[in-house]
Structures are given as C-alpha cells and as structure tokens.
Amino acid sequence: MRLADLKGRSVAVWGTGREGRAAVTAIAPHGPSRLMAVDDSANFLSVAWEGPLAEAAPLAGGDHAFPALVTADVVVRSPGVPQTHPWMGELRRRGVTVTGGSALWMADHAARTIGVTGSKGKSTTSSLISHLLAAVGRPNVFGGNIGVPLLDLPDAPQFVLELSSYQCADLTDSPRVAVVTSLFPEHLDAHGGEREYYRDKLNLLRHSPEMIVVNGVDERLRDEIRGVTDANGFPPVPAAADDSRFRVEDDIVHCSDEPLFPRAKLRLKGAHNGRNLCVALAVLDGLGVDVPGEKAALAAAVASFEGLPHRLTEIADPSGLTFVDDTLSTSPYSAMHAIDAYADRPLTVLLGGTDRGLDYSPLRHFLADRELTVIGIPDSGPRILAELSGLAGIRAATAEDLADAVRLSRELTPAGGVVLLSPAAPSYGQFRNFEHRSEAFAEAIRATA
C-alpha cells in the first residue's frame, strides 16, 4: 500500500508521537475521505495536538479511540503499538487494513533503499554502510529507527535505514538490499513470543529484495532463513564467516584472498563489530563498489568512524578504571557480546533492569568458564544473579540502584580493570529511557570519583 492508495479512504493514525505526527503530515495531502489521529493512552488529554495537525486530523482519545480505529478502512499504527495490543486482533477480525508509516514509505522508495535489521548490530552496521558509501562518492541519507520517521526523510538518491522489528513487521515491500546482522530473542512481550519475533524481524526479506546480506557466523539466523532467496533466486550473501568473501583473518580484513586493512582501523571493540564491518563491506561490494580498488579510501573512512553513543562507549576516569556505557544492551545476548569485547581485562559487569521474564540461561552458559564480577541492579538483577549462582569464576554482589552499583564497582574492580554497564534488560520503569539511564551512569561515575 502506497500513500497514494489512501485517497478517498477513511484512515486512522494510531499514535501521536513522532511517527504519528509524521504519518498525519504525509497522508493529509493525499486526500483521504477522513483522517483521524488516535491516542489510546490514559493521558491523551495532555497531548499537544493543535494547529495544522489538529486541522488535518482531529484527535480521538478515551472512549472515542476504539471506535475511530474499527470504523476506519486503514489503520496506520506507530511502531510503539505492539502486535499484542488487544485491539489488533479485533481490527484484523473486522477486516481493517493495518499498516505502518515505514511500510507506506517503503512502498515508494524500496528501489533506492538499503534496509538493515538485527537483534544487535543494526545501528552500527547501517551507520557504517552510510559512512563508507559517502567515502566512495555515493551520497545517501541515513535514517530509520534512530529518531527520524521514514515519512520525514528528505529525498535522496540512496537511503540507508536502520529498521526495528516493529517497522519490519508491517512491510509489504522489501528494500532493494536487505541486511540482517544477528538474530536472538528480543521484545517478546511486544511480538507475542519468540517465533512471532523472528517472523516479524525477518519479514524484511520476504518481499523480493534484489540482494540479501547476512552475518554468516550467526547460526540461529542461518537456520531461520534456510531456503530464503532474493528476487533472482540467489541465497543470502554470508559475510564474516571463515569461508566468506569478506572476513577478518589474523586481525586483517580480507576480500577473498586480498588483505584490505588491519581490523584495528575500526576503533569499535569486540569481534561482533568486526563482523558488522564485514557485512557493511559485503553490501558495498554487492552495490558495485570496487572494494579492493577503493581500499585506501575505505580504510581512511573506517578509521574515522566514530560509532554511536551508548554502545561500548568508554568514559575516562582518574582512578585508572575504564567505565563503559553499553546501556542499549537489553538482552543477555547483547551483554555477552559486550563482555567478550573486554575478555582480556579484569571486568565488573552491571546487570539488571526492567524484568521482562527473559531467559538468562544462555548468559550462564557463556560465563561458565570465565572469571569476572557481576553486580545485580533492580529489578531483574537478583534473578540474573540467581541464574549465575554456583559458577566458580563469578563473584556476585547486589546493588540498591545504579548509583550504588557504580560505588560497589569501585570497591570490587582491580586497578586497571573495566566497569561495564551492559544491563541485559531495558531501562523503562526506573528511567525515562536509555538516554536517562546513560546520564545516571555518567553522573554516578562523577559522584564517586
């Protein structure tokens, strides 16, 4: 479904945040017969909905929210509306078409788009692809799940998008190049379960992309996409595996048998970031970039890549300890990647946050033969520590809150060691969002210096 297809139809935009506002602004000029904005939250009266937005789409909330949705021909849901919302089933039962702003945008721009998803690595990989393309003279616009709704993006010859599972779920068009960096259980509460999460995440691949690039090391991803092909019948291009065209071998990034540049050119720590780099190079290769011929320019671009905040971001401290902000770690798998990045140094890990009932047994298996200190933070911290109990190399402590965890970490971490906030749980509940958790971490570091 394209924006133009909404002409003459009754449309309800579900959500009044950035995505909902962008959808109303984009849909209104296409002449729907009725356009409504819907906010089903208890505080809908506090939403600032006025001026051109209110003129284009009156706001329905409270008792008017559900009727506005079920009487529409098309509902455009914001990514924050979960698949498990009780109204979603009723909309489908009544035959109401449910789509999203990302799907409407993709229908018109898929041919110029590289779309990147993954349970971990999508932000880094998508921004790295955009950065490297620009370095070899291919201008592009970077957007997606980074705070800018797709419907707000400016026109461009090429788009590189980071796409969440929520955005992927509604797509009926795949981007020209579809990329998956990793796959493990995440956001199960919003999707309805592990199988449903994989289904929604991998919907990115199901609508005839011209090329698919994946992390060839991820066994779960490999198993889930078995039999998937691109529009030409070719299987996904695996990057980073030992037999891949692009791989890291002896700390050198290779293209087939040709060494390109040292892995250390990329300042981001961790083997997973080496794999992200290989995925990005495989995308450029598939787009026709002569990667070996451009290796000098690409090496310089890789060296200048800053990475993204809140992902293994090191914070200087006069004590000699290295504090690391990895607050975007919201699952045991992402914490495992972060721990691996500092495996060669004395390590204290701060774990815990909102308890979504995640299975932490994979973390126990990962830490079975390691030595480190773990500090549990409410709410899920005590449950994580219970999962890790009995492991010989794990020293455990419980903190009252994040500030207390930082104080404890100074006492428990050997000189020259690392204190890693990689909580393996989301931030809501105790914090407004992940940025707020990051700010609290930095403030606790300053306060205890």
Side-chain angles (χ1 to χ4, degrees), residues 3 11-28 35-38 49 53 75-81 99-106 143-153 161-164 166-168 170-171:
L3 284 166
V11 181
V13 173
W14 191 358
T16 55
R18 286 178 295 196
E19 293 279 349
R21 292 164 184 263
V24 166
T25 302
I27 292 167
L35 181 58
M36 299 283 291
V38 177
W49 196 262
L53 283 171
V75 169
V76 179
R77 73 178 181 112
S78 296
V81 178
T99 186
S102 298
L104 291 170
W105 182 92
M106 190 69 75
N145 186 43
I146 57 167
V148 180
L150 301 193
L151 289 170
D152 274 346
L153 291 177
L161 306 180
E162 175 198 345
L163 297 171
S164 70
Y166 311 116
Q167 291 171 303
C168 291
D170 293 323
L171 298 181

Side-chain angles (χ1 to χ4, degrees), residues 348-364:
T348 297
V349 186
L350 314 186
L351 291 168
T354 305
D355 195 341
R356 298 179 296 170
L358 292 177
D359 177 14
Y360 286 98
S361 60
L363 183 60
R364 177 185 177 86

Side-chain angles (χ1 to χ4, degrees), residues 119-136:
S119 303
K120 183 176 178 63
K122 61 182 179 294
S123 302
T124 297
T125 304
S126 55
S127 58
L128 188 52
I129 291 169
S130 174
H131 183 71
L132 296 182
L133 283 173
V136 295

Side-chain angles (χ1 to χ4, degrees), residues 26-44:
I27 292 167
H30 290 273
S33 62
R34 184 194 73 170
L35 181 58
M36 299 283 291
V38 177
D39 189 327
D40 65 316
S41 66
N43 62 345
F44 75 94

Side-chain angles (χ1 to χ4, degrees), residues 188-208:
L188 305 189
D189 50 343
H191 291 272
E194 186 171 336
R195 300 307 317 162
E196 290 79 7
Y197 169 70
Y198 296 160
R199 175 202 65 201
D200 291 347
K201 194 76 163 170
L202 297 177
N203 187 48
L204 182 76
L205 312 180
R206 295 198 176 98
H207 306 285
S208 301

Side-chain angles (χ1 to χ4, degrees), residues 245-246 255-256 258-260 285 289-298:
R245 177 168 165 81
F246 292 94
C255 175
S256 297
E258 180 170 349
L260 298 177
D285 185 59
V289 174
D290 179 5
V291 173
E294 295 279 6
K295 67 181 181 180
L298 290 170

